[in-house]
Amino acid sequence: RRAPVEAALADPAAAELSTRWHLLMLLGRDAEAEALLQPLEQSGRIYALAGFLAYPQFDPGPFPSLMQVLEREQVQRRAPEPIPFACPPATPGS
């Protein structure tokens, strides 16, 4: 059900970064979710980005500094998995 997730995303209470990221991912708005985390990459907050590694749907690929650490530490990671309970795609006009 998209409507409740969209409403939650529009709520100012969803201002916390990880909450917004999760909501965007549930809606299939992966590019926006990635863009939301780019300031962490740009400011060198690798530890904050690494926190998202706990989620199987997180793709570290767009974050070079995090990828460098994963490669240096020889971390083997599976490809990102789709969220099994994600919202259905948006329909035109919704």
Side-chain angles (χ1 to χ4, degrees), residues 13-47:
E16 203 268 322
L17 184 70
S18 66
T19 300
R20 293 190 63 73
W21 180 82
H22 283 288
L23 293 170
L24 288 166
M25 293 298 290
L26 282 171
L27 292 169
R29 293 164 54 180
D30 297 7
E32 289 176 69
E34 177 191 319
L36 184 68
L37 300 183
Q38 280 300 327
L40 296 176
E41 167 71 25
Q42 294 162 354
S43 64
R45 295 179 59 203
I46 301 168
Y47 189 75

Side-chain angles (χ1 to χ4, degrees), residues 21 30-31 33-42 46 49-50 52-53 58-71:
W21 180 82
D30 297 7
E34 177 191 319
L36 184 68
L37 300 183
Q38 280 300 327
L40 296 176
E41 167 71 25
Q42 294 162 354
I46 301 168
L49 272 175
F52 288 89
L53 291 168
F58 176 69
D59 180 6
F63 306 100
S65 62
L66 180 57
M67 288 299 296
Q68 184 178 25
V69 171
L70 294 175
E71 289 168 7

Side-chain angles (χ1 to χ4, degrees), residues 72-94:
R72 182 187 73 215
E73 298 300 321
Q74 299 179 357
V75 173
Q76 298 294 316
R77 201 169 147 77
R78 293 181 184 180
E81 299 175 13
I83 302 173
F85 49 86
C87 298
T91 57
S94 66

